[in-house]
Amino acid sequence: MSELTVKFGGNERSLPSPATVADAIKAFDRDALKSALAAKVNGEEVDLNKELAASDEVLSIELIDTATRDGLEVIRHSTAHLLAAAVLDLFPGTKLGVGPALMDDPRYGFYYDVIAPRNLTEEDLPVIEKKMKSMAKQNLVYRRQEIEKAKVLDIFKERDEPLKCELIDEKAGISASIYYIDNSPFIDFCLGPHVPHTGKLKAFRLLALSGAYWKGDADNQQMQRIYGTAFSTQEELDAWVKQREEAEKRDHRKLGKQLDLFSIDDDYGQGLILWHPKGGIVRSEMEKLLREELEKRAYSFVYTPHIAKRDLWVTSGHEGNYSDSMYAPTSIEDEEYRLKPMNCPFHIGIYKSSPRSYRDLPQRYSEMGTVYRAELSGTLHGLMRVRGFTVDDAHLFVRPDQVQVEVSDCLDFAIKVFETYGFEKVKFELSVRGDAENKGYLGADEDWASAEERLASALRERNISYERIEGEAAFYGPKIDIKIEDAIGRVWQLGTIQLDFNLPERFKLEYTGEDNQKHQPIMIHRALFGSIERFFGVLIEHYAGAFPLWLAPVQVAVLPITDRINEYADTVAKELKDAGFRVEANLKSDKIGAKIRDAQLQKVPYMLVLGDQELEAGKVAVRERKEGDIGAMSLEEFREKITRQKLLRSL
C-alpha cells in the first residue's frame, strides 16, 4: 500500500493512500473537521472530498474554516450556487450566467445572474429563499468533476446553456471542472472550492433584484441579478441585518432629498449629480479644508480642460487599457476628441510646458478636476458610483531621492484629513501587480519592483501596518489604497497614492540633473477623497445627515416663539451672519413646537428659541440638536462657543 506524507497544524505523519483531504484532517484532529469548509493543500484551495494522490513531496494542509475570510468566501460562493439550484428547480428553463462571492461590497455578499422564463419580481425572493433553506436542510453534497473541455461543452450544450458554453470556450484549458449539487438540476462550470454539503449553509438571506448585462456589456443580453448575503452563523447574519437597517436610515439618497443636498434627474442623465445650494455649502467646506492643507504643503493649484484629442489618450495608454470606461470619441474639424476619464495627462502637459531642473523638483500640482466615466446603468448608485465626478487630484513630479519624503507626506496628509472628519479607523493596502498574470500592465519588471518597494518602505517608515493585495495595481504602477471605517462599521475605499514610472516614460518627461544630464522624473498620483461625490455620500451616511457645525449647511436656526419677537430674531440672525455663520430665521407664524421639529428634521446643529423672557434679558435660549435644551446665555457667549467649534472643526 502506498503512503502519503501529510503536514497539518505543525505536525507531520504518514497516511495510507488514497485518502481525501477530510480523511487527512480527521487523522490529525477530528474536532477541526467540524468547522472545516475547504482546505489549502500546498497553497492550492481544494474541496474537503478531494482525493490526495501518493507523492514524494510533503502535502501541507491548511484549514479553511468558518472563522476565516477565505471560509466566508467559500460560504458565499456555495450559497450563490444554492441560489441558482433553487431558481432552476422553481423556474425550469432558466439560463445561468455567473454567481460570484462579493467580499468587499458593504451591501451584498453574493449574486447570481439569470435569464428566467419570466421576469422575476421582489415577491419571488422569499419563495426562492424558502426553497434554498429546504435544500440546505437536506445536506445535499457538492460534487466536483474534472473532465475534458469537449465533454464539458457537450454537457452544457445538451442543457441549452449558451452563456456557460461561451465561458467554457474562453476560459477552459484542455480540461475543466464542473460542480453538481446532488438531487438538484444544478451544474456549473467553476473552479471552487465549495462546502462539502448544503448543511454547512446555515445563515443566508436574499436581498434584491436588479438588471445586468452579460459580461457587463450593454451590447449583450440583459439578465436579472439576484443579490443575497451569507454568514457562517445566524448571529452574524442578524448583526449584519441590524447594521443594514441602520444603513437604510442613513442612506445618502434618502437624506440627500430630505435635506435638499443634491438630486439626480433622468432628464439630465443617469449618474450625473446636480448639487443643490445646501450640498454646495458642504462641498465648499470640504474643498476649503483641502485647500488649507495643500497650501501648507506647497502645492500649486491648476485647472485643465474636460476634453482632449484622442491621440493624447493613445499616448497615455488609456485608449488601449481603459477605453471601455471612456465616452465615445467626438469629431471636431476632422479631429477626434474624448472626454477625460482622468486628469493625469493634463498635469503632464503643464510639467512639459517648460524645461525643468533638478532644483525645480518636486512639482506638486493639485486640481479639483471633473472627469467622466461611461459606467453601465446597472452599476450606478447615488453619489457612490456616478458618470461624472470631481477628483481631489494631485500629481507630483519628483526626483528618485524625493520619493520617500513625498509619499510619506501624502500618508500624513491622508491621516490628518480623515481624522478631521472623525474617521478613526483607517486601513492601508499595498496594491501590486502580482505574479500570476501581468497582461495590461505597462513597464519593466525592475521598475515595478522598485516602485513597490518604495511604497512599502514609506509605510514601514511611518509604522503603518498594511495588507499586500495581489493583482489590484493600476495599469501604470503599484498603489497604496486607503480605506476608512464609518460610524456603523462599514469599510469604504477612498484615497490612493500611486507611484508611476510609466507615464513619464510614455510622455518623455525629463529634468536636467545636477550632472547637467537629462533624467526622467517619477510621478506620484494622489487623491484623498477619491471623488468629491463619493466622499460626500460617505459623509452623509457616516453622520446620518447630522453634519458637525463646521460642515452644516445651516449652522444656527433662530426660532421666535411669537411674531412680536421677529424683530429681535432678525437682529440675532444678522449678528451671527456678520460673524460668519450660516443662519436661518424662521419667522413663520407656526407654533414653536413645529419650528423646532422642522429644524430637527433639517438636522441643524443649534436652535435659538426666543421669547419675551429672552428679549427682556437680551439672551438666547440654546437648544442643541442631540442634547436638547442647554440653557440661556448671552449672544456673545453663544457666539464664542460656536466660533471655537468652527475654528477647531470640532465634531
Side-chain angles (χ1 to χ4, degrees):
M1 180 184 293
S2 58
E3 289 191 336
L4 302 164
T5 304
V6 178
K7 186 176 182 180
F8 178 78
N11 298 313
E12 189 175 306
R13 66 174 59 174
S14 295
L15 300 174
S17 175
T20 65
V21 175
D23 292 334
I25 294 171
K26 189 188 296 183
F28 285 90
D29 186 347
R30 286 179 174 273
D31 289 337
L33 196 59
K34 294 176 183 177
S35 64
L37 301 169
K40 294 180 183 178
V41 177
N42 292 347
E44 179 190 355
E45 293 189 351
V46 299
D47 298 311
L48 292 176
N49 60 11
K50 178 181 173 63
E51 192 170 281
L52 298 172
S55 170
D56 292 336
E57 67 175 326
V58 175
L59 300 177
S60 178
I61 298 178
E62 180 185 345
L63 214 61
I64 297 177
D65 62 18
T66 54
T68 64
R69 177 184 168 90
D70 287 341
L72 181 59
E73 187 169 4
V74 170
I75 286 172
R76 289 179 172 180
H77 193 184
S78 300
T79 309
H81 277 212
L82 181 62
L83 162 61
V87 171
L88 285 170
D89 191 85
L90 292 167
F91 305 97
T94 294
K95 309 303 176 193
L96 300 180
V98 294
L102 301 174
M103 299 304 292
D104 296 311
D105 189 323
R107 297 167 296 158
Y108 308 115
F110 62 84
Y111 68 79
Y112 216 109
D113 288 343
V114 301
I115 303 173
R118 66 163 173 82
N119 241 28
L120 301 177
T121 68
E122 296 288 337
E123 287 71 33
D124 291 313
L125 296 185
V127 177
I128 299 169
E129 187 178 307
K130 183 179 179 181
K131 181 65 179 177
M132 290 170 67
K133 288 178 178 176
S134 171
M135 295 173 76
K137 289 176 181 176
Q138 296 174 49
N139 295 339
L140 305 176
V141 175
Y142 285 74
R143 298 191 188 277
R144 184 181 193 271
Q145 269 191 303
E146 184 83 21
I147 52 180
E148 294 175 13
K149 178 177 179 178
K151 290 183 179 178
V152 176
L153 281 169
D154 288 342
I155 290 170
F156 284 97
K157 283 175 184 174
E158 188 177 329
R159 294 170 62 86
D160 191 23
E161 289 278 17
L163 302 182
K164 290 294 182 186
C165 290
E166 188 179 325
L167 275 184
I168 294 161
D169 260 335
E170 289 176 3
K171 295 183 178 295
I174 297 171
S175 64
S177 59
I178 56 175
Y179 274 87
Y180 299 82
I181 297 179
D182 281 0
N183 298 327
S184 86
F186 177 78
I187 304 178
D188 203 0
F189 165 57
C190 180
L191 291 173
H194 287 286
V195 296
H197 57 78
T198 57
K200 292 282 187 179
L201 308 176
K202 301 179 183 300
F204 52 81
R205 179 171 292 191
L206 298 186
L207 300 167
L209 270 171
S210 75
Y213 292 106
W214 173 237
K215 295 181 179 176
D217 187 338
D219 293 331
N220 287 339
Q221 282 178 278
Q222 184 147 25
M223 311 183 76
Q224 284 189 286
R225 178 166 293 177
I226 306 173
Y227 284 105
T229 197
F231 291 89
S232 59
T233 67
Q234 188 63 41
E235 290 76 16
E236 289 174 307
L237 177 60
D238 290 343
W240 182 87
V241 168
K242 186 177 179 181
Q243 184 195 64
R244 188 170 188 259
E245 289 169 352
E246 179 62 29
E248 286 175 357
K249 294 176 191 174
R250 294 168 178 261
D251 190 321
H252 71 279
R253 294 165 298 179
K254 180 178 72 176
L255 288 170
K257 184 174 183 179
Q258 176 187 321
L259 302 176
D260 194 23
L261 300 172
F262 72 94
S263 60
I264 302 169
D265 190 327
D266 277 351
D267 289 342
Y268 295 86
Q270 292 184 58
L272 301 175
I273 308 301
L274 302 177
W275 289 78
H276 295 197
K278 288 182 176 179
I281 288 170
V282 181
R283 175 170 175 161
S284 177
E285 291 293 339
M286 291 163 61
E287 293 181 358
K288 182 180 176 183
L289 169 62
L290 275 183
R291 179 171 281 269
E292 288 175 9
E293 293 298 324
L294 288 163
E295 286 174 346
K296 290 177 188 175
R297 291 168 167 79
Y299 280 73
S300 301
F301 299 98
V302 300
Y303 303 88
T304 61
H306 292 231
I307 192 169
K309 287 184 178 181
R310 187 176 187 177
D311 288 348
L312 181 74
W313 307 111
V314 173
T315 302
S316 70
H318 289 92
E319 186 79 23
N321 293 278
Y322 205 74
S323 59
D324 288 348
S325 295
M326 297 173 71
Y327 279 93
T330 184
S331 293
I332 305 171
E333 296 179 348
D334 297 325
E335 288 191 301
E336 286 192 320
Y337 287 75
R338 292 189 91 152
L339 281 169
K340 65 176 177 180
M342 296 182 186
N343 298 300
C344 352
F346 294 92
H347 293 186
I348 287 170
I350 295 170
Y351 179 90
K352 288 187 71 175
S353 65
S354 299
R356 307 291 177 182
S357 159
Y358 71 95
R359 294 188 183 90
D360 299 324
L361 303 187
Q363 291 280 307
R364 306 183 188 96
Y365 303 149
S366 175
E367 177 180 15
M368 294 292 172
T370 301
V371 298
Y372 304 90
R373 309 271 173 90
E375 304 284 2
L376 295 172
S377 59
T379 67
L380 300 175
H381 179 69
L383 293 165
M384 305 303 194
R385 192 78 178 263
V386 295
R387 287 175 170 161
F389 57 93
T390 302
V391 184
D392 61 310
D393 224 346
H395 294 94
L396 293 76
F397 300 86
V398 304
R399 303 190 309 262
D401 62 290
Q402 296 170 327
V403 169
Q404 201 81 5
V405 170
E406 294 300 323
V407 171
S408 294
D409 183 71
C410 289
L411 290 169
D412 291 342
F413 192 174
I415 292 168
K416 159 76 174 175
V417 168
F418 292 140
E419 283 180 349
T420 302
Y421 286 101
F423 296 113
E424 296 175 352
K425 296 181 180 178
V426 183
K427 179 183 178 184
F428 295 86
E429 294 177 349
L430 178 58
S431 297
V432 300
R433 236 180 3 173
D435 298 324
E437 189 176 337
N438 294 334
K439 186 179 179 182
Y441 293 115
L442 307 177
D445 289 346
E446 57 269 24
D447 287 342
W448 276 86
S450 174
E452 288 175 19
E453 175 52 31
R454 288 168 190 264
L455 292 178
S457 182
L459 287 161
R460 291 194 298 267
E461 185 183 85
R462 284 291 187 275
N463 292 318
I464 294 173
S465 60
Y466 65 92
E467 183 179 357
R468 182 183 170 90
I469 307 295
E470 302 280 341
E472 290 298 319
F475 69 84
Y476 48 74
K479 57 180 178 165
I480 295 171
D481 287 324
I482 307 168
K483 298 181 176 181
I484 58 91
E485 185 177 312
D486 71 8
I488 59 171
R490 297 170 301 178
V491 176
W492 301 95
Q493 162 71 54
L494 295 176
T496 184
I497 303 165
Q498 305 175 2
L499 210 54
D500 185 355
F501 288 81
N502 288 298
L503 287 182
E505 169 64 28
R506 294 174 77 89
F507 281 93
K508 307 302 178 190
L509 302 187
E510 58 185 29
Y511 66 91
T512 303
E514 197 170 2
D515 58 1
N516 212 33
Q517 300 299 308
K518 297 298 183 184
H519 299 271
Q520 184 176 291
I522 295 167
M523 193 172 171
I524 299 172
H525 306 246
R526 197 275 297 136
L528 300 185
F529 294 162
S531 87
I532 295 288
E533 286 76 6
R534 180 177 169 82
F535 191 67
F536 184 38
V538 171
L539 285 184
I540 293 170
E541 299 196 1
H542 178 60
Y543 297 130
F547 295 101
L549 178 88
W550 68 276
L551 274 175
V554 178
Q555 295 168 318
V556 183
V558 180
L559 311 176
I561 292 175
T562 65
D563 290 348
R564 65 177 176 274
I565 309 296
N566 284 357
E567 186 177 340
Y568 180 48
D570 266 336
T571 301
V572 168
K574 184 178 184 306
E575 284 194 36
L576 290 172
K577 286 178 182 177
D578 289 346
F581 291 96
R582 298 184 287 272
V583 185
E584 284 186 358
N586 186 342
L587 305 182
K588 296 176 184 176
S589 297
D590 296 338
K591 292 182 178 179
I592 191 61
K595 292 182 179 182
I596 291 172
R597 187 164 56 252
D598 183 61
Q600 286 284 163
L601 286 172
Q602 289 302 302
K603 302 184 185 291
V604 179
Y606 287 100
M607 290 145 267
L608 303 183
V609 180
L610 307 180
D612 292 327
Q613 193 174 347
E614 286 73 31
L615 173 62
E616 291 169 12
K619 291 189 173 184
V620 292
V622 182
R623 183 180 179 86
E624 201 271 339
R625 177 175 55 202
K626 291 181 180 177
E627 296 180 25
D629 294 328
I630 59 174
M633 60 185 74
S634 69
L635 184 57
E636 183 180 355
E637 186 181 354
F638 174 69
R639 187 172 63 242
E640 288 176 358
K641 174 184 174 69
I642 60 175
T643 297
R644 284 194 302 273
Q645 289 186 17
K646 179 182 174 183
L647 290 175
L648 294 172
R649 291 192 168 99
S650 171
L651 297 170

